[in-house]
Amino acid sequence: QVQLVESGGALVQPGRSLRLSCVASGFTFDVEPMTWVRQAPGKGLEWVSSVGTIEAYFDYADSVKGRFTISRDNAKNTLYLQMNDLKPEDTGVYFCAKGGSNNWQSGMAGQGTKVTVSS
């Protein structure tokens, strides 16, 4: 079955950077678009970014555009999210999902990784 293991979350100060990773298994990674979503404390899931199968397509939420970069290494079945200039409003649990920006909801299969941005 689909397995997604997120890692890289931490407590960081505003303005710092983090790189999240998501190792995928149980499906053919390189033929699937992939997505990052997040859930702030007490709120619902928020779409963050999606990437196509060969990085020819990217899409970002306005709230992270210019600060976050999504990428993938198909040889390693791994999805990344480079997060720069972090803000307190970026705090939340980050999940990766199989699928693109219009169908990721059915592709979540991990526990997420927690990011806390605080001084």
Coordinates of all heavy atoms in Angstrom, one line a residue, residues 15-84:
G15 N 12.6 33.6 10.0 CA 13.7 34.0 9.1 C 14.7 32.9 8.7 O 15.4 33.0 7.8
R16 N 14.6 31.8 9.5 CA 15.5 30.6 9.2 C 14.9 29.7 8.1 O 13.8 30.0 7.6 CB 15.7 29.9 10.5 CG 16.3 30.7 11.6 CD 17.6 31.3 11.3 NE 18.7 30.3 11.1 CZ 19.5 29.9 12.1 NH1 19.3 30.4 13.3 NH2 20.4 29.0 11.9
S17 N 15.6 28.7 7.8 CA 15.2 27.8 6.7 C 15.1 26.3 7.3 O 15.8 26.0 8.3 CB 16.3 27.8 5.6 OG 16.3 29.1 5.0
L18 N 14.3 25.5 6.6 CA 14.2 24.1 6.8 C 14.0 23.4 5.5 O 13.4 24.0 4.6 CB 13.0 23.8 7.7 CG 13.1 23.9 9.2 CD1 11.8 23.6 9.8 CD2 14.2 23.0 9.8
R19 N 14.4 22.1 5.4 CA 14.1 21.3 4.3 C 13.4 20.1 4.7 O 13.9 19.3 5.6 CB 15.4 20.9 3.5 CG 15.0 20.2 2.1 CD 16.2 19.9 1.3 NE 16.8 18.7 1.6 CZ 17.5 17.9 0.8 NH1 17.6 18.3 -0.5 NH2 18.1 16.8 1.2
L20 N 12.2 19.9 4.2 CA 11.4 18.7 4.6 C 11.6 17.7 3.5 O 11.8 18.0 2.3 CB 9.9 19.1 4.6 CG 9.5 20.2 5.6 CD1 8.0 20.4 5.6 CD2 10.1 20.0 7.0
S21 N 11.5 16.4 3.9 CA 11.6 15.3 3.0 C 10.5 14.4 3.1 O 9.9 14.3 4.2 CB 12.9 14.5 3.2 OG 14.1 15.3 3.1
C22 N 10.1 13.7 2.1 CA 9.0 12.7 2.1 C 9.5 11.5 1.3 O 9.6 11.6 0.0 CB 7.8 13.3 1.5 SG 6.5 12.1 1.2
V23 N 9.7 10.4 1.9 CA 10.1 9.2 1.2 C 8.8 8.3 0.9 O 8.0 8.0 1.8 CB 11.1 8.3 2.0 CG1 11.4 7.0 1.3 CG2 12.3 9.1 2.3
A24 N 8.7 8.0 -0.4 CA 7.4 7.3 -0.8 C 7.7 5.9 -1.2 O 8.8 5.5 -1.6 CB 6.9 8.0 -2.0
S25 N 6.7 5.0 -0.9 CA 6.8 3.6 -1.3 C 5.4 3.1 -1.6 O 4.4 3.7 -1.2 CB 7.5 2.8 -0.3 OG 6.8 2.8 1.0
G26 N 5.3 1.9 -2.2 CA 4.1 1.3 -2.5 C 3.4 1.7 -3.7 O 2.2 1.3 -4.0
F27 N 4.0 2.6 -4.5 CA 3.4 3.0 -5.8 C 4.6 3.5 -6.7 O 5.7 3.6 -6.2 CB 2.4 4.1 -5.6 CG 2.9 5.4 -5.1 CD1 3.2 6.5 -5.9 CD2 3.1 5.6 -3.7 CE1 3.6 7.7 -5.4 CE2 3.6 6.8 -3.2 CZ 3.8 7.8 -4.1
T28 N 4.3 3.7 -8.0 CA 5.3 4.1 -8.9 C 5.5 5.6 -8.8 O 4.7 6.4 -9.4 CB 4.9 3.7 -10.3 OG1 4.7 2.3 -10.4 CG2 6.1 4.0 -11.3
F29 N 6.5 6.0 -8.0 CA 6.6 7.4 -7.7 C 6.8 8.3 -8.9 O 6.2 9.4 -8.9 CB 7.9 7.5 -6.7 CG 8.1 8.9 -6.3 CD1 7.4 9.5 -5.2 CD2 9.2 9.7 -6.8 CE1 7.6 10.8 -4.8 CE2 9.5 10.9 -6.3 CZ 8.7 11.5 -5.3
D30 N 7.6 7.9 -9.9 CA 8.0 8.8 -10.9 C 6.8 9.1 -11.9 O 7.0 9.9 -12.9 CB 9.3 8.4 -11.6 CG 9.2 7.0 -12.2 OD1 8.1 6.4 -12.1 OD2 10.2 6.6 -12.8
V31 N 5.7 8.4 -11.8 CA 4.6 8.7 -12.7 C 3.5 9.5 -12.0 O 2.4 9.7 -12.6 CB 4.0 7.5 -13.4 CG1 5.1 6.7 -14.1 CG2 3.3 6.6 -12.3
E32 N 3.7 9.9 -10.8 CA 2.7 10.6 -10.0 C 3.1 12.0 -9.7 O 4.2 12.3 -9.2 CB 2.4 9.9 -8.7 CG 1.8 8.5 -8.8 CD 0.3 8.5 -9.2 OE1 -0.3 9.6 -9.1 OE2 -0.2 7.4 -9.5
P33 N 2.2 13.0 -9.9 CA 2.5 14.3 -9.3 C 2.4 14.2 -7.8 O 1.8 13.2 -7.3 CB 1.3 15.2 -9.8 CG 0.3 14.2 -10.2 CD 0.9 12.9 -10.6
M34 N 3.1 15.1 -7.1 CA 3.1 15.1 -5.6 C 2.8 16.4 -5.1 O 3.1 17.5 -5.7 CB 4.5 14.6 -5.2 CG 4.8 13.1 -5.5 SD 3.8 11.9 -4.7 CE 4.3 12.1 -3.0
T35 N 2.4 16.4 -3.8 CA 1.9 17.7 -3.2 C 2.3 17.7 -1.7 O 2.4 16.7 -1.1 CB 0.4 17.7 -3.3 OG1 0.0 17.9 -4.7 CG2 -0.2 18.8 -2.4
W36 N 2.6 18.9 -1.3 CA 2.7 19.2 0.2 C 1.5 20.0 0.6 O 1.1 20.9 -0.1 CB 4.0 20.1 0.4 CG 5.3 19.3 0.3 CD1 6.2 19.3 -0.7 CD2 5.8 18.5 1.3 NE1 7.2 18.5 -0.4 CE2 7.1 18.0 0.9 CE3 5.5 18.1 2.6 CZ2 7.9 17.2 1.6 CZ3 6.3 17.3 3.4 CH2 7.5 16.8 2.8
V37 N 1.0 19.6 1.8 CA -0.1 20.4 2.4 C 0.4 20.5 3.9 O 1.3 19.9 4.4 CB -1.4 19.6 2.3 CG1 -1.8 19.4 0.9 CG2 -1.4 18.3 3.1
R38 N -0.3 21.4 4.6 CA 0.0 21.7 6.0 C -1.3 21.9 6.8 O -2.3 22.3 6.2 CB 0.9 22.8 6.1 CG 0.4 24.2 5.8 CD 1.4 25.3 5.8 NE 0.9 26.6 5.4 CZ 1.7 27.6 5.2 NH1 3.0 27.6 5.4 NH2 1.1 28.8 4.9
Q39 N -1.2 21.7 8.1 CA -2.3 21.9 9.0 C -1.8 22.7 10.2 O -1.0 22.2 11.0 CB -2.9 20.6 9.4 CG -4.2 20.8 10.2 CD -4.9 19.5 10.4 OE1 -4.3 18.4 10.5 NE2 -6.2 19.6 10.6
A40 N -2.2 24.0 10.2 CA -1.9 24.8 11.4 C -2.7 24.4 12.6 O -3.8 23.8 12.4 CB -2.2 26.3 11.0
P41 N -2.2 24.7 13.8 CA -2.9 24.3 15.0 C -4.4 24.8 15.0 O -4.6 26.0 14.8 CB -2.1 25.0 16.1 CG -0.8 25.1 15.5 CD -0.9 25.4 14.1
G42 N -5.3 23.9 15.2 CA -6.7 24.2 15.2 C -7.4 24.5 13.9 O -8.5 25.0 13.9
K43 N -6.7 24.3 12.8 CA -7.2 24.6 11.5 C -7.2 23.4 10.6 O -6.7 22.4 10.9 CB -6.4 25.8 10.9 CG -6.5 27.1 11.6 CD -5.9 28.2 10.9 CE -6.0 29.5 11.6 NZ -5.5 30.7 10.9
G44 N -7.9 23.6 9.4 CA -7.9 22.5 8.5 C -6.7 22.4 7.6 O -5.7 23.2 7.7
L45 N -6.7 21.4 6.7 CA -5.6 21.2 5.8 C -5.5 22.4 4.8 O -6.6 22.8 4.2 CB -5.7 19.9 5.1 CG -5.5 18.7 6.0 CD1 -6.0 17.4 5.2 CD2 -4.1 18.5 6.4
E46 N -4.3 22.8 4.5 CA -4.1 23.9 3.5 C -3.1 23.4 2.5 O -2.0 22.9 2.8 CB -3.5 25.1 4.2 CG -3.1 26.2 3.3 CD -2.3 27.3 3.9 OE1 -1.8 27.1 5.1 OE2 -2.1 28.4 3.4
W47 N -3.5 23.5 1.2 CA -2.6 23.1 0.1 C -1.4 24.1 0.1 O -1.6 25.3 0.2 CB -3.3 23.1 -1.2 CG -2.4 23.0 -2.4 CD1 -1.9 21.8 -2.8 CD2 -2.0 24.0 -3.2 NE1 -1.1 22.1 -3.9 CE2 -1.1 23.4 -4.2 CE3 -2.2 25.4 -3.3 CZ2 -0.5 24.1 -5.2 CZ3 -1.6 26.1 -4.3 CH2 -0.8 25.5 -5.2
V48 N -0.2 23.6 -0.1 CA 1.0 24.4 -0.1 C 1.7 24.5 -1.5 O 2.0 25.5 -2.0 CB 2.1 23.9 1.0 CG1 3.4 24.7 0.8 CG2 1.5 24.0 2.4
S49 N 1.9 23.3 -2.0 CA 2.6 23.2 -3.3 C 2.5 21.9 -4.0 O 2.3 20.9 -3.3 CB 4.1 23.5 -3.1 OG 4.9 23.5 -4.3
S50 N 2.5 21.9 -5.3 CA 2.5 20.6 -6.0 C 3.6 20.6 -7.1 O 4.0 21.7 -7.6 CB 1.1 20.4 -6.7 OG 0.1 20.3 -5.8
V51 N 4.0 19.5 -7.5 CA 5.0 19.3 -8.5 C 4.6 18.2 -9.5 O 4.0 17.2 -9.1 CB 6.4 19.1 -8.0 CG1 6.5 17.7 -7.2 CG2 7.5 19.0 -9.0
G52 N 4.9 18.4 -10.8 CA 4.6 17.4 -11.8 C 5.6 16.2 -11.7 O 6.5 16.2 -10.9
T53 N 5.4 15.3 -12.6 CA 6.2 14.1 -12.5 C 7.7 14.3 -12.8 O 8.6 13.6 -12.3 CB 5.7 13.1 -13.5 OG1 5.7 13.7 -14.8 CG2 4.3 12.6 -13.2
I54 N 8.1 15.3 -13.6 CA 9.5 15.6 -13.9 C 9.9 17.0 -13.7 O 10.7 17.5 -14.3 CB 9.7 15.2 -15.4 CG1 8.8 16.0 -16.4 CG2 9.7 13.7 -15.6 CD1 9.2 15.8 -17.8
E55 N 9.2 17.6 -12.7 CA 9.6 19.0 -12.3 C 9.4 20.0 -13.4 O 9.9 21.1 -13.4 CB 11.0 19.1 -11.8 CG 11.2 18.3 -10.5 CD 12.5 18.6 -9.8 OE1 13.4 19.1 -10.5 OE2 12.7 18.3 -8.6
A56 N 8.6 19.7 -14.4 CA 8.3 20.7 -15.5 C 7.1 21.5 -15.1 O 6.8 22.5 -15.7 CB 8.0 19.9 -16.8
Y57 N 6.4 21.1 -14.0 CA 5.3 21.8 -13.5 C 5.4 22.1 -12.0 O 5.7 21.2 -11.3 CB 4.0 21.1 -13.8 CG 2.8 21.5 -13.0 CD1 2.1 22.6 -13.4 CD2 2.4 20.9 -11.8 CE1 1.0 23.1 -12.7 CE2 1.3 21.4 -11.1 CZ 0.6 22.5 -11.5 OH -0.4 22.9 -10.8
F58 N 5.2 23.3 -11.6 CA 5.2 23.7 -10.2 C 4.0 24.6 -9.9 O 3.6 25.3 -10.8 CB 6.5 24.5 -9.8 CG 7.8 23.8 -10.1 CD1 8.4 24.0 -11.4 CD2 8.4 23.0 -9.2 CE1 9.6 23.4 -11.7 CE2 9.6 22.4 -9.5 CZ 10.2 22.6 -10.8
D59 N 3.5 24.5 -8.7 CA 2.5 25.4 -8.3 C 2.6 25.7 -6.8 O 2.9 24.7 -6.1 CB 1.1 24.9 -8.6 CG 0.0 26.0 -8.7 OD1 0.4 27.2 -8.6 OD2 -1.2 25.6 -8.8
Y60 N 2.4 26.9 -6.4 CA 2.6 27.3 -5.0 C 1.4 28.1 -4.5 O 0.9 28.9 -5.3 CB 3.9 28.1 -4.8 CG 5.1 27.4 -5.1 CD1 5.7 27.5 -6.4 CD2 5.8 26.6 -4.2 CE1 6.9 26.8 -6.7 CE2 6.9 25.9 -4.5 CZ 7.5 26.0 -5.7 OH 8.7 25.4 -6.0
A61 N 1.1 27.9 -3.3 CA 0.1 28.8 -2.6 C 0.7 30.2 -2.6 O 1.9 30.4 -2.4 CB -0.2 28.3 -1.2
D62 N -0.1 31.2 -2.7 CA 0.4 32.6 -2.6 C 1.2 32.9 -1.3 O 2.1 33.7 -1.3 CB -0.8 33.6 -2.8 CG -1.3 33.6 -4.2 OD1 -0.7 33.2 -5.1 OD2 -2.5 34.1 -4.3
S63 N 0.7 32.3 -0.3 CA 1.4 32.5 1.0 C 2.8 32.0 1.1 O 3.5 32.5 2.0 CB 0.5 31.9 2.2 OG 0.4 30.5 1.9
V64 N 3.2 31.1 0.2 CA 4.6 30.6 0.3 C 5.4 30.9 -1.0 O 6.6 30.6 -1.0 CB 4.6 29.1 0.6 CG1 3.8 28.8 1.8 CG2 4.1 28.3 -0.7
K65 N 4.8 31.5 -1.9 CA 5.4 31.8 -3.2 C 6.6 32.7 -3.0 O 6.6 33.7 -2.3 CB 4.4 32.4 -4.2 CG 4.8 32.3 -5.6 CD 3.6 32.7 -6.5 CE 2.5 31.7 -6.4 NZ 1.3 32.1 -7.4
G66 N 7.8 32.3 -3.6 CA 9.0 33.0 -3.4 C 9.8 32.7 -2.2 O 11.0 33.1 -2.1
R67 N 9.2 31.9 -1.3 CA 10.0 31.4 -0.1 C 10.2 29.9 -0.1 O 11.2 29.5 0.4 CB 9.2 31.8 1.1 CG 9.0 33.3 1.3 CD 8.4 33.7 2.6 NE 7.1 33.1 2.8 CZ 6.8 32.3 3.8 NH1 7.7 31.9 4.7 NH2 5.5 31.8 3.9
F68 N 9.2 29.2 -0.6 CA 9.3 27.7 -0.6 C 9.6 27.2 -2.0 O 9.2 27.8 -3.0 CB 8.0 27.1 -0.2 CG 7.6 27.3 1.3 CD1 8.3 28.2 2.1 CD2 6.6 26.6 1.8 CE1 8.0 28.3 3.4 CE2 6.2 26.7 3.2 CZ 7.0 27.6 4.0
T69 N 10.3 26.1 -2.1 CA 10.6 25.4 -3.3 C 10.4 23.9 -3.2 O 11.0 23.3 -2.3 CB 12.1 25.6 -3.7 OG1 12.4 27.0 -3.8 CG2 12.4 25.0 -5.1
I70 N 9.6 23.4 -4.1 CA 9.3 22.0 -4.1 C 10.2 21.3 -5.1 O 10.5 21.9 -6.2 CB 7.8 21.7 -4.4 CG1 7.4 20.3 -4.2 CG2 7.4 22.1 -5.8 CD1 5.9 20.0 -4.2
S71 N 10.6 20.1 -4.8 CA 11.4 19.4 -5.8 C 11.3 17.9 -5.5 O 10.7 17.5 -4.5 CB 12.9 19.8 -5.7 OG 13.4 19.5 -4.4
R72 N 11.8 17.1 -6.4 CA 11.7 15.7 -6.2 C 12.9 15.0 -6.8 O 13.5 15.5 -7.8 CB 10.4 15.1 -6.9 CG 10.3 15.4 -8.4 CD 9.0 15.1 -9.0 NE 8.6 13.7 -8.8 CZ 7.3 13.2 -8.8 NH1 6.3 14.1 -9.0 NH2 7.1 11.9 -8.6
D73 N 13.2 13.8 -6.2 CA 14.3 13.0 -6.8 C 13.7 11.6 -7.1 O 13.5 10.8 -6.2 CB 15.4 12.9 -5.7 CG 16.6 12.1 -6.3 OD1 16.5 11.3 -7.2 OD2 17.7 12.3 -5.7
N74 N 13.4 11.4 -8.3 CA 12.7 10.2 -8.7 C 13.5 8.9 -8.5 O 13.0 7.9 -8.2 CB 12.2 10.3 -10.1 CG 11.0 11.2 -10.3 OD1 10.3 11.6 -9.3 ND2 10.8 11.7 -11.5
A75 N 14.8 9.1 -8.5 CA 15.7 7.9 -8.3 C 15.7 7.5 -6.8 O 15.9 6.3 -6.5 CB 17.1 8.3 -8.7
K76 N 15.3 8.4 -6.0 CA 15.3 8.1 -4.5 C 13.8 8.0 -4.0 O 13.6 7.9 -2.8 CB 16.0 9.2 -3.7 CG 17.5 9.2 -4.0 CD 18.2 10.3 -3.2 CE 19.7 10.3 -3.4 NZ 20.4 11.3 -2.6
N77 N 12.9 8.2 -4.9 CA 11.4 8.2 -4.4 C 11.2 9.2 -3.3 O 10.5 8.9 -2.4 CB 11.0 6.8 -4.0 CG 10.7 5.8 -5.1 OD1 11.0 6.1 -6.3 ND2 10.2 4.7 -4.8
T78 N 11.8 10.3 -3.5 CA 11.7 11.3 -2.4 C 11.3 12.7 -2.9 O 11.7 13.1 -4.0 CB 13.1 11.5 -1.7 OG1 13.5 10.2 -1.2 CG2 13.0 12.5 -0.6
L79 N 10.4 13.3 -2.2 CA 9.9 14.6 -2.4 C 10.5 15.6 -1.3 O 10.6 15.2 -0.2 CB 8.3 14.6 -2.3 CG 7.6 15.9 -2.5 CD1 7.6 16.3 -3.9 CD2 6.2 15.8 -2.0
Y80 N 10.8 16.8 -1.8 CA 11.4 17.7 -0.8 C 10.5 19.0 -0.8 O 9.8 19.4 -1.8 CB 12.8 18.1 -1.3 CG 13.7 16.9 -1.3 CD1 14.1 16.3 -2.6 CD2 14.3 16.4 -0.2 CE1 14.9 15.3 -2.6 CE2 15.2 15.3 -0.2 CZ 15.5 14.7 -1.5 OH 16.3 13.7 -1.5
L81 N 10.7 19.8 0.3 CA 10.2 21.1 0.4 C 11.2 22.0 1.1 O 11.4 21.8 2.3 CB 8.8 21.2 1.1 CG 8.2 22.6 1.1 CD1 7.7 22.9 -0.3 CD2 7.0 22.6 2.1
Q82 N 11.9 22.8 0.3 CA 12.8 23.8 0.9 C 12.1 25.0 1.3 O 11.4 25.7 0.5 CB 13.9 24.2 -0.2 CG 14.9 25.2 0.3 CD 15.8 24.7 1.5 OE1 16.3 23.6 1.4 NE2 16.0 25.5 2.5
M83 N 12.2 25.3 2.6 CA 11.4 26.5 3.1 C 12.4 27.5 3.6 O 13.1 27.2 4.6 CB 10.5 26.0 4.3 CG 9.6 24.8 3.9 SD 8.4 24.4 5.1 CE 9.5 23.8 6.5
N84 N 12.4 28.7 3.0 CA 13.2 29.8 3.4 C 12.4 30.9 4.0 O 11.2 31.0 3.8 CB 14.0 30.3 2.2 CG 14.9 29.2 1.6 OD1 15.4 28.3 2.3 ND2 15.1 29.3 0.3

